Amino acid sequence: MTEYIPPGTRFHALPSPFPMKRGGALHGARMAYETWGELNAARDNAILILTGLSPNAHAAANAGNPAPGWWEEMLGPGKPIDTDHWFVVCVNSLGSCKGSTGPASIDPASGEPYRLDFPKLSIEDGANAAHEVVRGLGIERLACLIGCSMGGMTALAYLLLHPGSARSHINVSGSARALPFSIAIRSLQREAIRLDPNWNQGRYDDTHYPENGMRMARKLGVVTYRSALEWSGRFGRVRLDSDRRDGDDPFGLEFEVESYLEGHARRFVRQFDPNCYLYLSRSMDWFDVAEYAPARGPDEVLQALSRIALEKSLAIGVETDILFPLQQQEEIAEGLRLGGADSRFAPLPSPQGHDAFLVDIPRFGDRIGGFLAELRPPPRRGGW
Amino acid sequence: MTEYIPPGTRFHALPSPFPMKRGGALHGARMAYETWGELNAARDNAILILTGLSPNAHAAANAGNPAPGWWEEMLGPGKPIDTDHWFVVCVNSLGSCKGSTGPASIDPASGEPYRLDFPKLSIEDGANAAHEVVRGLGIERLACLIGCSMGGMTALAYLLLHPGSARSHINVSGSARALPFSIAIRSLQREAIRLDPNWNQGRYDDTHYPENGMRMARKLGVVTYRSALEWSGRFGRVRLDSDRRDGDDPFGLEFEVESYLEGHARRFVRQFDPNCYLYLSRSMDWFDVAEYAPARGPDEVLQALSRIALEKSLAIGVETDILFPLQQQEEIAEGLRLGGADSRFAPLPSPQGHDAFLVDIPRFGDRIGGFLAELRPPPRRGGW
């Protein structure tokens, strides 16, 4: 079992026991996080970023770790999330393997990794754990809560479970609940891992590791993270040169798009713990804000979202996203508007599908930066 | 190795040797087919149906086999493809395992199944083999060539390789070449089969059969054959009753959509030969009408299609198809128009995705039936 913790990661000890939504509790658990910028005296310039399934807390270079982060172009001095103005926190998700406690961590009760003995993980558990980090930093109220992809779900849970904990919210390619197409994709990814004989009911090690299952899961992920439109332009029907093919394998890689998937898969395998992947993936399928609606019914999602009180919100996504389709961001915007927020919906024409927020920084940065700039108090009132 | 041949199937012996596009030749090969209706004296009322990857030749009930076929509601007396007027032929694809020669068939050179010794299979080989069946039935010119999904590719190859062989063409949810998203999906399906230890480089048997690989491949197929829109309405987030779950498996089936996929997979596994699946799947990735263009370039697909001379054509598809997206049917319509056909493009709003042609018979039947009715000579000129 391996955890993958970037240098410079900071840790926050969770209350022990830390109760989990579906039963059980964690003992001696911790959250990994990083920060950028300075918290002001009023403690009202904080932004929390909640990530998708796989990223660590290293969203961008900082003093503790100068290596570029997964949102490097979005976050930093003068960038859309401008760390000259904002104190930014990014947490590694509870249940992950990049510093926060998860199935790959040591269970203090046994001295062995939790593996499948880790309690059932819900999106709400990740929200509560992230809230503990924010409180631990002395922040009563976030200026903005930003959640991307899975983090968009976690952010909605955070806002529902901790009323008044944020002035504003940016939901980036997120959703208020998992729909069956996305559930089907994630179910197949989990099945690919579980079918790998090396998974062995979660009892693998570095020598006997479910590499094929993880490769398949990641490839299927990448297929659904991007878009057919982008790939048609990017790869077309281009073949690999013969020296990049295995001439002995009649069904081996032949097209550039196959090689692209293989490259992505190889970079992911052994960089993410398979059991953690299973737990986080399943938590997304389970998440449903409708659980927070006053009553079940056709408008249960909107009714649940309307319980969230914010000054301003932005729901942003792209037309080419098949995993978190644009209608789900529109639904979030509509629900938050019902709750009284000055709620914006920003559908973007990015061709890169669900991953667009990671790569189409010009479009996403413009919207996110503009939203945050409006949040700042006008300079004439005295600045920060 | 098992072949799955419906009762009442008829066979046509292919010329021996039967040369294959990418090298090698088949000896003693045959094509399975079925027919409906009567060929008229002028032999000008024949329709050929070319199928998607997995169907057999039993498109509908007939005298030889009263069981319902895979296009039962589309084909028969008084139905959209009206067998009171048309003589209809449907072939099982070359390379399949449902009567036509394929990798599961016995190689006369060895007395053993071909397995991976089957020659490389191209869409064009399937087109040539289907053309042999039609010629063998004494038909010089089809009234209409209908191709669905993979069969839409085969139909375009047929028309390019055998000029003048059809008056008209209906391309149903087909494409002029595989695009990278579809290639990626099929590549993953093949990889799932090949990674199953029981695949064993194609040397499986009924006892050691790559069941998990085939289940994964089929599930991934079904995910891409339908649409997120349809599933949201059909399954929502409905859970399985507890008695339909495996309570001991923490990652077992939980949502209806997962059970739906599992059911589809179980019905497919051991009903289709894994090596045949690999060969047919790869043939789709390879197919590209641009090979028939006078010159390569940005309009190579249209230029190639414009070499096909037809009286009339119909390209039909649905907006929710992610595997053979609607733009590909529009492209076919445009190319056939350049070739001089009275070419129609019928985008349909069916929510069922790629599979809509199999299930949304009201919409597809209306268009296909209307097209065929216009092909018939007016009764006042003497009838058939």
Side-chain angles (χ1 to χ4, degrees):
Chain A
M1 312 294 289
T2 310
E3 295 176 90
Y4 311 89
I5 307 175
T9 298
R10 295 164 68 185
F11 298 97
H12 176 81
L14 290 174
S16 187
F18 179 81
M20 301 286 276
K21 182 189 179 197
R22 288 183 174 242
L26 298 176
H27 296 266
R30 69 181 188 182
M31 288 289 282
Y33 71 98
E34 296 194 23
T35 70
W36 299 259
E38 298 293 332
L39 187 61
N40 63 13
R43 298 176 180 266
D44 66 0
N45 70 328
I47 291 175
L48 172 65
I49 297 174
L50 298 168
T51 78
L53 187 153
S54 60
N56 55 29
H58 190 60
N62 54 14
N65 181 359
W70 59 265
W71 226 8
E72 185 67 29
E73 300 306 314
M74 188 65 85
L75 177 62
K79 294 182 181 173
I81 304 175
D82 187 346
T83 53
D84 286 338
H85 294 276
W86 304 108
F87 173 65
V88 181
V89 183
C90 181
V91 299
N92 179 232
S93 304
L94 186 72
S96 180
C97 52
K98 297 183 173 175
S100 294
T101 297
S105 307
I106 299 297
D107 177 358
S110 68
E112 298 286 327
Y114 283 102
R115 303 181 188 274
L116 301 196
D117 291 331
F118 197 78
K120 288 174 181 167
L121 179 73
S122 301
I123 289 290
E124 284 86 342
D125 302 321
N128 287 332
H131 185 249
E132 289 291 342
V133 176
V134 171
R135 292 282 302 258
L137 290 166
I139 299 158
E140 286 295 320
R141 191 160 185 244
L142 294 166
C144 188
L145 173 57
I146 300 177
C148 308
S149 184
M150 181 185 87
M153 293 176 160
T154 314
L156 295 176
Y158 189 110
L159 296 168
L160 283 161
L161 296 170
H162 304 284
S165 61
R167 278 178 65 203
S168 73
H169 169 46
I170 303 177
N171 201 293
V172 182
S173 300
S175 77
R177 60 172 163 189
L179 292 179
F181 179 83
S182 308
I183 292 173
I185 293 289
R186 285 192 288 263
S187 176
L188 285 190
Q189 292 175 302
R190 294 193 298 271
E191 188 165 2
I193 294 169
R194 293 159 57 223
L195 284 175
D196 189 318
N198 280 343
W199 179 62
N200 188 26
Q201 297 295 317
R203 292 185 295 274
Y204 48 84
D205 58 31
D206 286 346
T207 310
H208 301 91
Y209 176 93
E211 185 154 331
N212 286 334
M214 286 292 280
R215 280 179 47 248
M216 286 296 291
R218 182 60 171 178
K219 286 187 179 185
L220 182 50
V222 174
V223 164
T224 57
Y225 296 158
R226 310 299 288 216
S227 86
L229 177 69
E230 183 206 9
W231 283 4
S232 293
R234 184 168 171 181
F235 302 116
R237 292 184 47 80
V238 174
R239 255 61 167 205
L240 295 175
D241 296 335
S242 58
D243 60 358
R244 291 173 63 201
R245 297 195 205 181
D246 177 357
D248 293 337
D249 182 350
F251 294 98
L253 305 181
E254 174 169 350
F255 290 92
E256 278 286 350
V257 68
E258 294 177 284
S259 172
Y260 166 83
L261 289 178
E262 182 69 20
H264 264 280
R266 289 195 179 169
R267 284 192 296 278
F268 186 70
V269 164
R270 297 185 186 270
Q271 296 298 317
F272 205 89
D273 178 73
N275 289 336
C276 293
Y277 192 93
L278 294 176
Y279 271 79
L280 288 163
S281 168
R282 186 180 56 176
S283 77
M284 278 193 270
D285 289 359
W286 280 341
F287 184 64
D288 187 354
V289 296
E291 292 177 23
Y292 302 91
R296 305 306 296 244
D299 65 345
E300 59 193 12
V301 170
L302 295 178
Q303 289 300 319
L305 291 168
S306 76
R307 294 182 54 191
I308 298 172
L310 295 164
E311 290 176 23
K312 295 162 69 78
S313 67
L314 171 65
I316 186 169
V318 306
E319 293 166 9
T320 49
D321 189 339
I322 59 174
L323 202 60
F324 288 73
L326 192 56
Q327 307 93 280
Q328 296 204 284
Q329 291 97 57
E330 188 169 22
E331 181 179 53
I332 290 168
E334 190 179 347
L336 297 178
R337 188 174 301 119
L338 291 174
D342 171 8
S343 171
R344 323 260 177 94
F345 169 52
L348 300 182
S350 311
Q352 297 97 340
H354 183 62
D355 266 1
F357 71 92
L358 295 172
V359 291
D360 191 357
I361 301 298
R363 286 198 178 95
F364 278 79
D366 185 57
R367 295 306 187 107
I368 291 171
F371 181 89
L372 293 176
E374 289 181 19
L375 273 189
R376 286 192 239 155
R380 66 178 178 278
R381 297 166 72 190
W384 300 75
Chain B
M1 311 297 288
T2 312
E3 294 177 90
Y4 310 90
I5 307 174
T9 297
R10 296 165 66 184
F11 298 97
H12 175 82
L14 290 173
S16 188
F18 179 80
M20 302 285 276
K21 182 189 179 197
R22 288 182 175 242
L26 297 176
H27 296 265
R30 70 181 188 182
M31 288 289 281
Y33 70 98
E34 296 194 23
T35 69
W36 298 259
E38 299 293 332
L39 187 61
N40 64 12
R43 298 176 180 264
D44 64 2
N45 69 329
I47 291 175
L48 172 65
I49 297 173
L50 298 168
T51 79
L53 187 153
S54 60
N56 55 30
H58 190 59
N62 55 14
N65 181 359
W70 58 266
W71 228 8
E72 185 68 28
E73 300 306 315
M74 188 65 85
L75 177 63
K79 293 182 182 173
I81 304 174
D82 187 347
T83 52
D84 285 339
H85 293 277
W86 304 108
F87 174 65
V88 181
V89 183
C90 181
V91 298
N92 178 232
S93 304
L94 186 71
S96 180
C97 52
K98 297 183 172 176
S100 294
T101 298
S105 306
I106 298 298
D107 177 358
S110 69
E112 298 287 327
Y114 282 103
R115 303 182 188 271
L116 302 195
D117 291 331
F118 197 78
K120 288 175 181 167
L121 179 74
S122 302
I123 289 289
E124 284 87 342
D125 301 320
N128 287 333
H131 185 249
E132 289 291 342
V133 176
V134 170
R135 292 281 303 255
L137 291 166
I139 300 158
E140 287 294 322
R141 192 162 185 242
L142 294 165
C144 187
L145 172 58
I146 300 177
C148 307
S149 184
M150 182 186 86
M153 293 176 160
T154 314
L156 294 175
Y158 188 110
L159 296 168
L160 282 161
L161 295 170
H162 304 284
S165 60
R167 277 179 65 203
S168 74
H169 169 46
I170 304 176
N171 200 292
V172 181
S173 299
S175 77
R177 60 171 164 190
L179 291 179
F181 179 84
S182 308
I183 291 173
I185 293 289
R186 285 192 288 263
S187 177
L188 286 189
Q189 293 175 301
R190 295 193 296 271
E191 189 166 2
I193 294 169
R194 292 159 55 222
L195 283 175
D196 189 319
N198 280 343
W199 179 61
N200 188 26
Q201 298 296 319
R203 292 183 295 276
Y204 48 84
D205 57 32
D206 285 346
T207 310
H208 301 91
Y209 177 92
E211 185 154 329
N212 287 332
M214 286 292 279
R215 280 179 47 249
M216 287 296 292
R218 182 59 171 179
K219 287 187 180 187
L220 182 51
V222 174
V223 165
T224 56
Y225 297 158
R226 310 299 288 216
S227 85
L229 177 69
E230 183 206 9
W231 283 4
S232 292
R234 183 169 171 182
F235 302 116
R237 292 183 48 79
V238 175
R239 256 59 169 207
L240 295 174
D241 295 335
S242 57
D243 61 357
R244 290 173 65 200
R245 297 196 206 179
D246 177 358
D248 294 336
D249 183 349
F251 294 98
L253 305 181
E254 173 170 350
F255 290 92
E256 279 286 351
V257 67
E258 294 177 284
S259 173
Y260 166 83
L261 290 177
E262 182 68 21
H264 263 281
R266 290 195 178 168
R267 286 192 295 279
F268 186 70
V269 164
R270 297 185 185 271
Q271 296 298 316
F272 205 89
D273 178 73
N275 289 335
C276 292
Y277 192 93
L278 295 175
Y279 270 80
L280 287 164
S281 168
R282 186 180 57 178
S283 77
M284 278 193 270
D285 290 357
W286 281 340
F287 184 64
D288 187 353
V289 295
E291 291 177 24
Y292 302 91
R296 304 307 294 244
D299 65 345
E300 59 193 12
V301 169
L302 295 178
Q303 289 301 319
L305 291 168
S306 77
R307 295 181 54 191
I308 297 172
L310 294 163
E311 289 177 23
K312 294 163 68 79
S313 66
L314 171 66
I316 186 170
V318 306
E319 292 165 9
T320 49
D321 189 339
I322 60 174
L323 202 61
F324 288 72
L326 193 57
Q327 307 92 282
Q328 296 204 285
Q329 290 97 58
E330 188 169 22
E331 180 179 54
I332 290 169
E334 189 181 346
L336 296 178
R337 187 173 302 119
L338 291 174
D342 170 7
S343 170
R344 322 261 176 94
F345 169 53
L348 300 182
S350 311
Q352 297 97 340
H354 184 62
D355 266 1
F357 71 92
L358 296 172
V359 289
D360 191 358
I361 301 298
R363 286 198 177 95
F364 279 79
D366 185 58
R367 294 306 186 107
I368 292 171
F371 180 90
L372 293 176
E374 287 181 20
L375 271 189
R376 287 191 239 154
R380 68 178 178 276
R381 295 168 70 188
W384 299 78

